Amino acid sequence: MKPLIASALFGVIMMFAALSVKEKKTFSLIAAFLLAILVGVNVYELCEVMHNANGDTTLFGSMLRYDSVSIWFNTLMTFITFLYVLLCGKNIERVGQHVGEYYSLIFFILCGANLLTGYSNLLILFLGIEILSIPQYILAGSDKKSLKSSEASLKYFLMGSFSTGILLMGICLLYGAMHTFDITKFNFMEPGGMNMMALAGILFLIVAFGFKVSAAPMHFWTPDVYDGAPTPFTAIMATIVKAGVFMAFFRLFSQSFGGINAHWSLVLSIVTALTLFIGNITAVFQQSVKRMLAYSSIAQAGFMLFAVLSVNATGMKGLIIYSVAYSVATIGMFAVLMKLKDYTYDGFNGLAKKEPFLAFAASIFLFSLAGIPLTGGFFAKYFVLTAVMEQNTNMAWLVIFALIMAAVSVYYYFKVLMAMYFKKGDPEMAMEVTSTDKVVLGIVVVIVLLIGIMPDVLIGWLTN
């Protein structure tokens, strides 16, 4: 509860700071300081829950239920947001005049994510989704000088509103069938068999979540929105936001829908296969690295869907590792991208010669996204694929297909490596790479490698 209140309060503080603070750099310092405090609040809350005899904290008549896993996940996502501000703060300051408001919206996004990781009631799910989504519509259109940014904001708003309507329809059908919003009290079986109204509600929820996490065939808004939105905000939309929604997706199916696996696993399997195929194949043909990363995020969503398919302890571990490894590597890659003026593959030509550390960091991030051993992405993929095989050995065909698609992803990630190390050029830098940038990027690189070497650092003590 404390992190939820703190994130909302810090968002309000940033709004009031925007009225009095004039220097843009000051906003980044204030935001970083408040995020550091928020990490501390999450750690304090985690310690309280761990020492609680019941093992979790329930609030508002059990509408919210925080356990050690959900609070640990919130702590990790808050820390990654802290790193994001350190890496991308200068770029956020260059987007527009309302820097304080931008940071305020980021705190509200964390507030929404906090609700999504602890809900036990469908009404809280709806509130969390909306609190998470509405700031993104604003951030996507924050660059008033860019027509692409305005277009991205409009598309995101329309598609988001459409998916919210589908979500509400699913919630209504489930309430009509179950007579409660509490997901822990759902019982889908009737004397005559499956409750068909409930099944329809579940399908509506799968479609709605598919929109939110960019799963195919509900992904079509993603490339245009990610490409048109200001790059610093694309980074958080593709990472923290997606990870939070996936945790809500996993929570929904693990707590309430686990008993009807046979009814929904085929639907999710088809969605997963489509997401992997469309995301990877279309990424191959992109000429812009930013747009490639947008399609890459669709492909990565396909792997994260394996955790939802499994809904077991290994799937939970996999989702936590995947969320952290993917988020850190993607934010790091976007931080490198924002140092360049040209976002095409040619813009990376010769980067290793001009900025060797920047090229090295980008290489580690791309290795992780591709799932190369000794990086966080390798164990992230290993855990989610293992989770599915533990749950249902009949899913072997989907695991093999995912491995083939992972091999395809190596091609378009390594195109960037080829440009940096094996092609001649003089990349034009959008801004200077300072010593502070190198230190923070170095920390992010170490985190990616640490997860790849010792993944139990993230989830070992939770298992115990």
Side-chain angles (χ1 to χ4, degrees):
M1 184 63 179
K2 296 179 185 69
L4 177 64
I5 295 173
S7 57
L9 179 62
F10 292 163
V12 174
I13 289 173
M14 290 303 304
M15 289 174 64
F16 279 103
L19 298 175
S20 55
V21 177
K22 302 299 181 185
E23 191 70 30
K24 287 185 177 182
K25 187 177 180 180
T26 308
F27 290 115
S28 298
L29 295 174
I30 295 172
F33 176 70
L34 293 177
L35 281 167
I37 294 175
L38 190 56
V39 172
V41 173
N42 275 281
V43 172
Y44 178 76
E45 182 87 353
L46 183 62
C47 293
E48 278 193 340
V49 171
M50 293 296 288
H51 288 92
N52 187 349
N54 297 325
D56 56 15
T57 301
T58 57
L59 302 162
F60 307 117
S62 298
M63 294 177 76
L64 280 170
R65 186 185 301 273
Y66 290 106
D67 55 21
S68 58
V69 174
S70 59
I71 298 175
W72 178 233
F73 183 84
N74 290 336
T75 305
L76 292 171
M77 290 300 105
T78 306
F79 177 70
I80 292 171
T81 308
F82 173 70
L83 290 178
Y84 160 78
V85 171
L86 294 181
L87 279 172
C88 306
K90 292 179 182 178
N91 300 93
I92 294 173
E93 294 162 17
R94 298 172 66 182
V95 172
Q97 299 299 316
H98 308 286
V99 181
E101 285 87 342
Y102 302 155
Y103 283 119
S104 177
L105 293 170
I106 289 171
F107 277 108
F108 289 136
I109 286 174
L110 288 177
C111 181
N114 221 296
L115 285 174
L116 290 178
T117 56
Y119 76 94
S120 289
N121 188 290
L122 291 178
L123 295 179
I124 300 296
L125 169 65
F126 170 71
L127 287 176
I129 287 285
E130 289 306 289
I131 294 173
L132 188 80
S133 300
I134 292 172
Q136 294 179 75
Y137 307 150
I138 302 169
L139 292 175
S142 55
D143 187 358
K144 302 302 180 184
K145 298 178 181 178
S146 171
L147 184 61
K148 288 179 68 177
S149 178
S150 299
E151 180 187 350
S153 180
L154 180 60
K155 284 184 178 179
Y156 203 4
F157 172 71
L158 292 175
M159 291 296 101
S161 301
F162 184 61
S163 65
T164 298
I166 295 174
L167 176 68
L168 283 173
M169 187 64 190
I171 291 174
C172 290
L173 289 172
L174 282 172
Y175 180 76
M178 301 291 105
H179 309 295
T180 179
F181 290 115
D182 191 340
I183 62 175
T184 61
K185 296 179 180 178
F186 285 176
N187 181 15
F188 296 96
M189 303 310 294
E190 295 179 334
M194 179 69 191
N195 188 319
M196 298 309 295
M197 182 183 290
L199 182 60
I202 297 167
L203 292 176
F204 272 105
L205 288 183
I206 290 175
V207 172
F209 272 109
F211 271 104
K212 299 298 182 183
V213 302
S214 313
M218 293 77 71
H219 70 286
F220 43 82
W221 59 271
T222 307
D224 291 337
V225 172
Y226 283 14
D227 189 36
T231 307
F233 301 137
T234 302
I236 197 168
M237 287 158 58
T239 54
I240 307 299
V241 171
K242 181 170 288 190
V245 177
F246 261 111
M247 180 56 78
F249 206 171
F250 182 87
R251 190 177 182 87
L252 185 68
F253 279 80
S254 63
Q255 291 201 11
S256 58
F257 298 165
I260 56 165
N261 181 52
H263 294 276
W264 53 260
S265 61
L266 179 60
V267 175
L268 278 180
S269 299
I270 294 170
V271 170
T272 302
L274 277 174
T275 304
L276 288 168
F277 181 79
I278 293 174
N280 283 293
I281 297 302
T282 49
V284 169
F285 299 100
Q286 302 308 308
Q287 300 302 314
S288 164
V289 175
K290 185 180 179 182
R291 200 168 180 88
M292 178 272 285
L293 289 173
Y295 280 104
S296 162
S297 75
I298 297 172
Q300 301 290 347
F303 279 99
M304 295 174 83
L305 280 169
F306 279 100
V308 181
L309 264 171
S310 63
V311 290
N312 54 25
T314 307
M316 179 271 291
K317 296 177 191 177
L319 184 58
I320 291 177
I321 294 177
Y322 212 113
S323 297
V324 176
Y326 163 70
S327 297
V328 170
T330 302
I331 287 174
M333 191 60 209
F334 271 106
V336 172
L337 186 66
M338 284 183 281
K339 299 297 181 186
L340 303 172
K341 281 190 175 181
D342 187 358
Y343 287 175
T344 65
Y345 286 99
D346 291 339
F348 282 79
N349 288 351
L351 183 63
K353 186 176 182 181
K354 187 168 187 176
E355 290 288 348
F357 181 78
L358 210 61
F360 168 74
S363 301
I364 298 298
F365 301 145
L366 291 169
F367 284 151
S368 182
L369 291 172
I372 303 299
L374 298 182
T375 63
F378 172 76
F379 271 110
K381 288 180 170 62
Y382 169 78
F383 271 102
V384 293
L385 295 179
T386 301
V388 168
M389 291 304 294
E390 287 180 3
Q391 185 73 13
N392 188 354
T393 55
N394 293 328
M395 292 291 178
W397 67 272
L398 190 58
V399 172
I400 294 171
F401 182 74
L403 292 174
I404 295 171
M405 289 297 103
V408 172
S409 72
V410 171
Y411 170 75
Y412 56 80
Y413 288 133
F414 277 40
K415 281 174 68 177
V416 182
L417 294 175
M418 293 288 290
M420 291 190 297
Y421 285 95
F422 299 104
K423 292 187 178 181
K424 295 181 180 179
D426 185 21
E428 191 175 359
M429 308 302 291
M431 57 195 308
E432 181 187 359
V433 183
T434 64
S435 299
T436 304
D437 294 330
K438 291 180 179 179
V439 169
V440 181
L441 274 174
I443 293 171
V444 176
V445 167
V446 169
I447 292 172
V448 171
L449 294 175
L450 190 63
I451 298 170
I453 298 169
M454 296 184 292
D456 283 346
V457 170
L458 287 180
I459 44 83
W461 65 275
L462 280 178
T463 305
N464 294 332

